[in-house]
Amino acid sequence: MSLAIELVGITKRYPGVIANDRINLAVREGEIHAVVGENGAGKSTLMKILYGMIPPDEGEIRIRGEATTMSSARDAIEAGIGMVHQHFMLAEQMTVLENVILGAEPRQGLKINFEEARRRIVEISGEGALDADQMVEELSVGEKQRVEIAKVLFRGAQILILDEPTAVLVPQEVEELFVSLRELRKRGVTIIFISHKLDEVLEIADSITVIRAGRTVATADPRQISTRELAELMVGAELPTAETRQSTVTDQVLLQAEGVGTLSEDGDRWVIEDISLRIHRGQVLGIAGVEGNGQRELVDILMGLRPADSGRVLLGGEDITGMSTLRRREAGIGLIPADRHGRGLLLVSPLWENAMLGYQSQPPFTRGWLVDGVGARRRTEDVVDQFDVRTPGVEVKIHALSGGNQQKLLVGKEMLATPQVLLASHPTRGIDVGAQAAVWESIRAARAEGLGVLLISADLDELIGLSDTLMVILRGRLVATLDPGQVTPAELGSYMTGASQ
Amino acid sequence: MRANRRLVYAVVSSGLAIVFALLVSAVILAVSGNNPFEAYGQMFEYGVRVDSLASAVNRAVPLYFSAMAVALGFKMGLFNIGVEGQYRIAVLIAAAVGAAIALPGPLHVLAIILTAMAVGAAWSGFAGYLKVKRGVHEVISTIMLNYVATGMGAFLLANWLRQENPPGDLVIKTPEIPESGRLPSLNQVLEWVGLDPGRVNLYGMAVLAVVAGFGFHVLINHTRFGFELRASGASAGAARTAGIDPGRMVVLTMVISGAIAGLVGMAHLLGFFHRYTIDFPTMLGFTGIAVALLGRNHPAGMAAGALLFGWFDRATQILDLRGIPKEIVFILQGVILLSVVVAYAVVEVRIRAAESRAVTGALRPGAEEES
């Protein structure tokens, strides 16, 4: 079979670092080719090069055997390469049809030829796969992804790059995605599939390229390799697991919600409704759910960032429903926010100020009204050391760190503050396998010391592995309580989408 | 390492911006039929005289307070355009109070200063209250309060606070503040070091300005309030999540900003006018915005900016006498400001990129990118 894409000796250097070091990649026409690697292995750089966003310093890109230089995404699109980003770029207030044709409208004179557009969308995505007139904001995450793929195909792409496409999906949606990817393969579309979820890679890929520390370390045949072997190729060492074994749960209730609910902004609808839960000393309570089902609002109510329109919140038996966020923090509730950039970090501030954020009323960061520069820096250095934050120092502005290292700082500062209760939203999002293990380990250790954790995560293995109890949130309500020792990711997924009701 | 890089960038880019502004102004001078070399030569010659330098400092002091008032708001993303109104209403009432009370020396001065700060704080705090309780954007409310301050000041002066003038004296003014409520000049100090500022009196408020500059630095960088202020400015979401009450911060910041604004008129009041009159200097609040931008809200940067503007203001006085329009100073200031703001924006992007590279470079290969 002929090659759709061949990358030969691609090298990309940044001052002091080689992001891609003589990478080779050969993708056959009409196959699904997975590119796997840890965070920071150089996948993103490689894909940006392939998509024309950054030029390589050395090496050659051959598209269908022809050496090609691309200097922008436009060139890539012209060469028939399309990319579906992890974060969707859709206009929520427009219809599917409008989103798909936006910027590539078929015309008839000066008018947009909607009939032609409609016909081609059906041709691309199959009869009945997408309702062209539906508003994008009404779509599920999986459907939105299909719109993104249709957008790319509409522009004539024959080679599709999918950047971590399953990260945002629940298992059922992943299955649907795979069905449509196989359909596309049948039609001769070449697909490059970037992921670090290895079981999925083994399921869908025809061949695999493993990248580690900027180099191609192996190409593998998915029929002849196990998940574990693949993971070891990827990490270059043995694997951690999320599993928590013996229980440390006590009967002492730390944080308790009693029938809490909150209304939407216009007040006509409960965003979350009648939620009751108890976090015990030494317990990890996992909340499973598709993003946007009320997780954020739940955390906000527990943290005092959003008023409870019904019910009450108790900490150690004391009613704290009306208590300010700062007082709650001082009382020992820690928070790892889901939205790192929007709610967790001061990007242009040094690491030590970021570590202080949320603890600005407590030692060692401040003494009365004065900032304790020495104590704050020393504490931050401890976080950096213990949580392996890769940084030249604590004076560095945090925007200069990679996302994974930013996350490690966020987690580490909460752990070192030894809260009673930790509200952790996606604590290991964006960090690599090794660091993930360290975070899990620290949560486990703190749990053994009596920490109560509310764990919200999109990583079902993490949820199942770490939690003592699992609850499922769906459309703002807790709909099931499950035993993580019994449930499988697939079952959990069906509860999350409401299929099990 | 980073602090130094930022400093070098800031100084170099400001310097280039000033040179650029001088070139643009030179072109304008030439086009309007004046010899730019002659004009600049005159300005320089006149500007480096001791009395001119003292006068430049006098002109810089109010601008410096004004800039700090604006900068404090900027630090948390609040735009206090109302410094103009705040200082004018503050100086009027402080002047009236100062003339009405009798206290021994330093206490009298202190009472006047505290009155001005309280009035400024109240005027500005009202805008903060409106923002928090009623959702009125501070840009709108502070601009409108400027008009209210002007109108109310004129009313108060004309009806209640003016002194009964002898026949023939048409200048409306408050009664004169007695000797005990005046701040001595620093000319004595200059004489000790062998400088003679001639008829110019170097304002005593210059000392307070220096103290306030250090105070500003400590407040912003070494107190919990300063941290909360900067955090709120850097990311409102992160600040709120960290337990920083945004409403409280807005009101507190506007109150402190207004209190500093109250100090703007004090140099002229305590050091020269000793009363409020209708020809008391105006526009100091608006120029302060320019100085804050020029100095990047940094106490040292703003001091440099205030001195620069003060010096230009003084040095261009000579041009009138030589038949060259001194309005060139406004062009100069405007172009400096524009080019500095543009230069900073460009430099900031570079600095951030440089910081990222520095970090990447300091770490092991392959550990960069991706988020």
Side-chain angles (χ1 to χ4, degrees), chain B residues 260-326:
Chain B
I260 303 174
L263 293 170
V264 171
M266 291 300 101
H268 290 314
L269 180 71
L270 300 172
F272 183 74
F273 286 84
H274 308 308
R275 61 178 7 139
Y276 187 83
T277 82
I278 47 173
D279 51 0
F280 199 86
T282 61
M283 298 301 284
L284 298 174
F286 293 124
T287 313
I289 298 173
V291 173
L293 285 172
L294 196 60
R296 297 224 76 186
N297 307 323
H298 189 282
M302 291 188 290
L307 287 168
L308 185 72
F309 272 33
W311 186 81
F312 275 132
D313 200 22
R314 167 72 180 190
T316 45
Q317 300 290 322
I318 191 70
L319 297 181
D320 252 0
L321 302 176
R322 301 290 187 272
I324 301 167
K326 71 168 182 210

Side-chain angles (χ1 to χ4, degrees), chain A residues 33-36 201-202 205-210 218-222 225 230:
Chain A
H33 191 107
V35 176
V36 301
V201 165
L202 290 186
D206 300 310
S207 55
I208 302 170
T209 298
V210 184
T219 45
D221 181 341
I225 193 168
L230 195 52

Side-chain angles (χ1 to χ4, degrees), chain A residues 57-78:
Chain A
D57 296 329
E58 285 166 29
E60 198 172 83
I61 303 172
R62 294 185 199 139
I63 298 174
R64 293 187 198 85
E66 243 174 85
T68 313
T69 30
M70 296 180 288
S71 53
S72 69
R74 189 171 288 270
D75 291 348
I77 293 167
E78 261 166 38

Side-chain angles (χ1 to χ4, degrees), chain A residues 104 132 140 214 223 345 490:
Chain A
S140 72
R223 278 153 302 194
L345 296 173

Side-chain angles (χ1 to χ4, degrees), chain B residues 240-253:
Chain B
R240 215 171 86 78
T241 309
I244 300 168
D245 179 353
R248 180 176 157 276
M249 289 307 294
V250 167
V251 173
L252 214 50
T253 303

Side-chain angles (χ1 to χ4, degrees), chain B residues 205-220:
Chain B
M205 275 298 279
V207 176
L208 190 59
V210 173
V211 173
F214 281 104
F216 185 86
H217 169 76
V218 171
L219 179 73
I220 294 293

Side-chain angles (χ1 to χ4, degrees), chain A residues 287-460:
Chain A
I287 302 285
V290 178
E291 259 186 279
N293 272 282
Q295 293 93 326
R296 178 181 167 146
E297 288 78 9
L298 175 61
V299 169
D300 283 359
I301 288 181
L302 296 178
M303 201 62 213
L305 291 164
R306 188 182 176 117
D309 294 315
S310 75
R312 45 186 210 144
V313 180
L314 300 118
L315 180 67
E318 188 199 344
D319 190 335
I320 59 162
T321 316
M323 197 185 260
S324 74
T325 304
L326 187 66
R327 292 281 314 284
R328 289 185 206 214
R329 282 189 175 271
E330 287 167 353
I333 305 181
L335 175 73
I336 299 170
D339 176 5
R340 186 160 66 217
H341 284 179
R343 306 179 85 186
L345 296 173
L346 307 173
L347 287 171
V348 202
S349 298
L351 258 60
W352 68 270
E353 288 195 347
N354 276 283
M356 175 156 83
L357 194 66
Y359 293 94
Q360 69 274 14
S361 62
Q362 299 170 42
F365 296 104
T366 50
R367 268 181 308 200
W369 282 99
L370 285 180
V371 170
D372 180 353
V374 176
R377 285 178 176 87
R378 195 174 298 142
R379 166 64 73 85
T380 311
E381 277 156 13
D382 290 345
V383 174
V384 166
D385 290 345
Q386 292 180 32
F387 287 82
D388 188 30
V389 180
R390 303 263 164 82
T391 172
V394 299
E395 298 293 340
V396 170
K397 307 265 190 299
I398 204 157
H399 72 82
L401 264 54
S402 74
N405 283 305
Q406 293 173 351
Q407 183 70 18
K408 285 187 250 172
L409 183 93
L410 281 182
V411 173
K413 81 176 201 197
E414 296 297 336
M415 300 309 290
L416 288 199
T418 57
Q420 292 187 60
V421 183
L422 179 65
L423 311 177
S425 298
H426 310 284
T428 61
R429 179 180 274 178
I431 68 184
D432 62 43
V433 183
Q436 198 174 28
V439 169
W440 287 335
E441 197 42 59
S442 74
I443 289 179
R444 242 176 257 138
R447 163 180 167 276
E449 299 284 312
L451 176 73
V453 180
L454 182 79
L455 176 68
I456 290 173
S457 180
D459 179 343
L460 301 187

